[in-house]
Amino acid sequence: MLESEVKKCMLITTPRAGKTLSRGALSIASFLNSRGYLTEILPLAYLVDYRDEWSYEEIETILKDSLENAGPVLVGVSNQFTGDYPICMEILKRCKQINEDIVSVVGGVHVTFLDSDSAKLPYVDIVVRGEGEWAMLDLATTLEKRHDVDKVLGITYMKDGEIIRNPDRPLGDLAELPPLDFGLLPPMFVQNIFIHGMLNRGCNFNCRFCGESAFWKKRRSFPVDRIIQEMISLDQVYNNPMHGIDDSMLYIGSEQFTQLAEEIRRQKIRLHPDFYIMSRVDSFLEDDLALVKETGINYVQLGIESASPKVLQAMNKKTSKEKILSCCVKLKKYGLKPYGLWMIGHPGDTPDEAEYSLDFMEYLLQERLMERVAVSVFAPCPGTIFFEQPEKFGIELLSDNWMDWSQYFVERPVCQLTDFSAEEIMRSYRKAHEIIDRVNPGALSLGDA
């Protein structure tokens, strides 16, 4: 095997990624290239033209051509969402059929918490748990030197018929990561997709339905200059201004956000008209909002989830209906547009609690205190206590097909509650959309359409 060959990696994103950027795969590829390991990205969503329907035979043809042209030794698949897990596995299976000598790797939230299930599959060589950049660099270096992977931290694999879980890898220094290299993607792809920046990994809050705290371990910050460089590149090179900041929780009044806002204004960086930041209803002061508007940001996305005190307590949200209302009033006062995320069917929810919550959502829409909404159906995510101990919370799983694990575009819930059947959950979900259609059809967010 030639030395130049062992430095070649290919990272694949699934066709279901659609017109969104897989930040994880691109971050890993940008990092590996900056460290001298030639890495390519294969965005399958672009290569099948963002279609909802495609065949694995079509995907296999793309994989065969790409693998033969690039000749990678290491192939990784980015498993962004639990619902994509079966597709990720099928992609790796076909990669192995094309070239059985390829080292196949999968990473992401789902496989981090269910690593043994993936490692048992004959076409999965390595599962990367948690943060991927440094693990992939270590793995690439180890393979180049033809050493055993037993010293590579944060990976799971099969050896002599047994599952081996190497010790966890300490978190890396985010300052070592370069800005995303959009040049690794087809230019037309970058020009036509939704791209969001990131200022932090992790969240200081511990909402029980979210696996982010378990995955990232703690909240860490990127240098502000990193996202500024990405913003400039997207606007000036690709004429596709950044669409928002995808942190789960951004502190609007923080020194970090102030620095970001000052740099955006100083360098006159153009933002997308729908640019949004995500925050909580209880995590900023009114005095901070003028700076948000002056920066050119229009939308503030809020993880509202529910107006029911019972459900909010079960979520560990530590918010209230009164705080939600006060927050929306303040945002509107400063010309900002609240964008609310709502959830139906979470433990603690019942038909009556859902009705109470949807009545409040309707009020916010009627009064134009909520400009956009996205309504999801609860699914117990791997990495959360609801997935690990469903019986304790009255959760009955209804499907073992990971493809059903989508919180949006829901045809049937993957679970039901003791006091909230699947049929009742779907009635509430449909009612939410009926409210939107009746009160303010334009309020349905693009991600939920």
Side-chain angles (χ1 to χ4, degrees), residues 313-432:
Q313 182 177 11
M315 292 177 169
N316 194 37
K317 284 292 292 184
K318 300 178 181 177
T319 58
S320 67
K321 179 180 177 181
E322 292 73 26
K323 289 181 180 179
I324 295 167
L325 179 59
S326 175
C327 172
C328 292
V329 169
K330 291 175 185 176
L331 292 173
K332 294 293 289 187
K333 176 181 176 180
Y334 285 85
L336 296 165
K337 301 176 181 180
Y339 175 171
L341 305 180
W342 299 76
M343 184 181 294
I344 294 170
H346 187 281
D349 214 353
T350 65
D352 289 342
E353 298 297 330
E355 183 84 10
Y356 178 82
S357 186
L358 293 180
D359 285 346
F360 184 56
M361 185 185 80
E362 181 173 1
Y363 168 77
L364 294 176
L365 289 171
Q366 285 177 334
E367 299 299 318
R368 290 297 191 269
L369 292 172
M370 184 69 59
E371 292 288 335
R372 286 186 179 177
V373 296
V375 183
S376 68
V377 172
F378 169 77
C381 299
T384 68
I385 192 170
F386 298 128
F387 182 84
E388 295 167 358
Q389 304 177 47
E391 301 86 359
K392 181 178 178 180
F393 299 94
I395 299 170
E396 179 188 357
L397 296 179
L398 302 174
S399 173
D400 58 4
N401 183 354
W402 295 120
M403 292 282 283
D404 296 336
W405 243 255
S406 173
Q407 293 176 293
Y408 300 96
F409 312 105
V410 176
E411 296 182 1
R412 179 174 172 78
V414 299
C415 69
Q416 62 185 0
L417 306 176
T418 303
D419 299 322
F420 207 0
S421 70
E423 290 73 21
E424 291 169 330
I425 290 172
M426 285 308 299
R427 278 199 290 271
S428 295
Y429 180 67
R430 287 191 291 268
K431 180 178 180 179

Side-chain angles (χ1 to χ4, degrees), residues 44-63:
L44 290 177
Y46 173 71
L47 297 171
V48 295
D49 302 321
Y50 314 114
R51 282 180 276 124
D52 291 331
E53 295 183 5
W54 37 265
S55 68
Y56 281 117
E57 288 71 26
E58 181 181 14
I59 296 298
E60 184 172 340
T61 298
I62 294 171
L63 292 173

Side-chain angles (χ1 to χ4, degrees), residues 15 157 202 213 220-221 245 262 321 392 408 428 440:
Y157 53 97
S213 294
R220 293 166 297 148
S221 298
I245 298 176
E262 289 174 349
K321 179 180 177 181
K392 181 178 178 180
Y408 300 96
S428 295
N440 183 9

Side-chain angles (χ1 to χ4, degrees), residues 43 54 102 123 158 181 188 192 329 342 411:
W54 37 265
I102 285 176
Y123 40 83
M158 287 282 289
D181 182 0
M188 286 297 294
N192 290 284
V329 169
W342 299 76
E411 296 182 1

Side-chain angles (χ1 to χ4, degrees), residues 107-119:
V109 177
H110 178 92
V111 297
T112 290
F113 299 112
L114 298 174
D115 53 319
S116 295
D117 291 349
S118 302

Side-chain angles (χ1 to χ4, degrees), residues 28-277:
I28 293 170
S30 301
F31 181 60
L32 291 179
N33 277 300
S34 73
R35 295 301 182 96
Y37 289 91
L38 180 61
T39 303
E40 299 185 22
I41 295 280
L42 185 66
L44 290 177
Y46 173 71
L47 297 171
V48 295
D49 302 321
Y50 314 114
R51 282 180 276 124
D52 291 331
E53 295 183 5
W54 37 265
S55 68
Y56 281 117
E57 288 71 26
E58 181 181 14
I59 296 298
E60 184 172 340
T61 298
I62 294 171
L63 292 173
K64 185 174 181 180
D65 291 343
S66 300
L67 293 176
E68 288 179 352
N69 290 333
V73 167
L74 185 65
V75 171
V77 174
S78 175
N79 184 196
Q80 282 187 275
F81 308 105
T82 290
D84 280 351
Y85 176 73
I87 301 174
C88 294
M89 296 301 99
E90 188 65 29
I91 289 170
L92 288 185
K93 179 180 178 180
R94 291 176 187 256
C95 286
K96 279 291 202 180
Q97 290 172 344
I98 294 167
N99 182 354
E100 63 180 10
D101 294 327
I102 285 176
V103 177
S104 60
V105 183
V106 63
V109 177
H110 178 92
V111 297
T112 290
F113 299 112
L114 298 174
D115 53 319
S116 295
D117 291 349
S118 302
K120 291 176 184 176
L121 299 173
Y123 40 83
V124 176
D125 293 320
I126 303 287
V127 179
V128 173
R129 307 189 310 269
E131 196 165 48
E133 289 88 353
W134 289 271
M136 287 294 287
L137 176 62
D138 193 359
L139 184 58
T141 303
T142 298
L143 292 175
E144 179 188 9
K145 296 178 179 178
R146 304 184 186 184
H147 291 170
D148 195 283
V149 297
D150 61 343
K151 297 295 192 296
V152 179
L153 299 178
I155 66 171
T156 303
Y157 53 97
M158 287 282 289
K159 185 175 182 179
D160 299 329
E162 294 185 7
I163 295 289
I164 306 297
R165 299 185 82 255
N166 289 358
D168 290 344
R169 176 174 295 276
L171 296 174
D173 180 0
L174 297 186
E176 294 180 3
L177 300 182
L180 298 185
D181 182 0
F182 300 109
L184 296 174
L185 297 168
M188 286 297 294
F189 183 60
V190 181
Q191 291 170 18
N192 290 284
I193 58 176
F194 301 101
I195 302 180
H196 306 91
M198 182 171 284
L199 280 169
N200 305 280
R201 284 182 176 175
C203 180
N204 285 338
F205 294 88
N206 291 288
C207 299
R208 292 196 179 103
F209 57 82
C210 178
E212 182 157 334
S213 294
F215 183 79
W216 293 119
K217 305 300 184 184
K218 65 177 182 179
R219 185 175 179 272
R220 293 166 297 148
S221 298
F222 288 102
V224 170
D225 183 61
R226 182 178 189 265
I227 192 174
I228 291 294
Q229 291 183 51
E230 293 174 2
M231 287 178 168
I232 293 172
S233 176
L234 287 171
D235 185 18
Q236 297 183 2
V237 179
Y238 299 98
N239 194 31
N240 184 14
M242 187 173 283
H243 289 70
I245 298 176
D246 214 24
D247 294 19
S248 289
M249 225 310 294
L250 183 62
Y251 288 88
I252 293 175
S254 65
E255 181 180 342
Q256 179 193 48
F257 181 77
T258 300
Q259 183 184 350
L260 174 71
E262 289 174 349
E263 284 300 306
I264 290 174
R265 289 184 295 169
R266 184 180 70 83
Q267 301 195 44
K268 299 180 180 178
I269 296 173
R270 185 168 63 116
L271 304 178
H272 193 277
D274 290 337
F275 190 98
Y276 72 84
I277 56 176

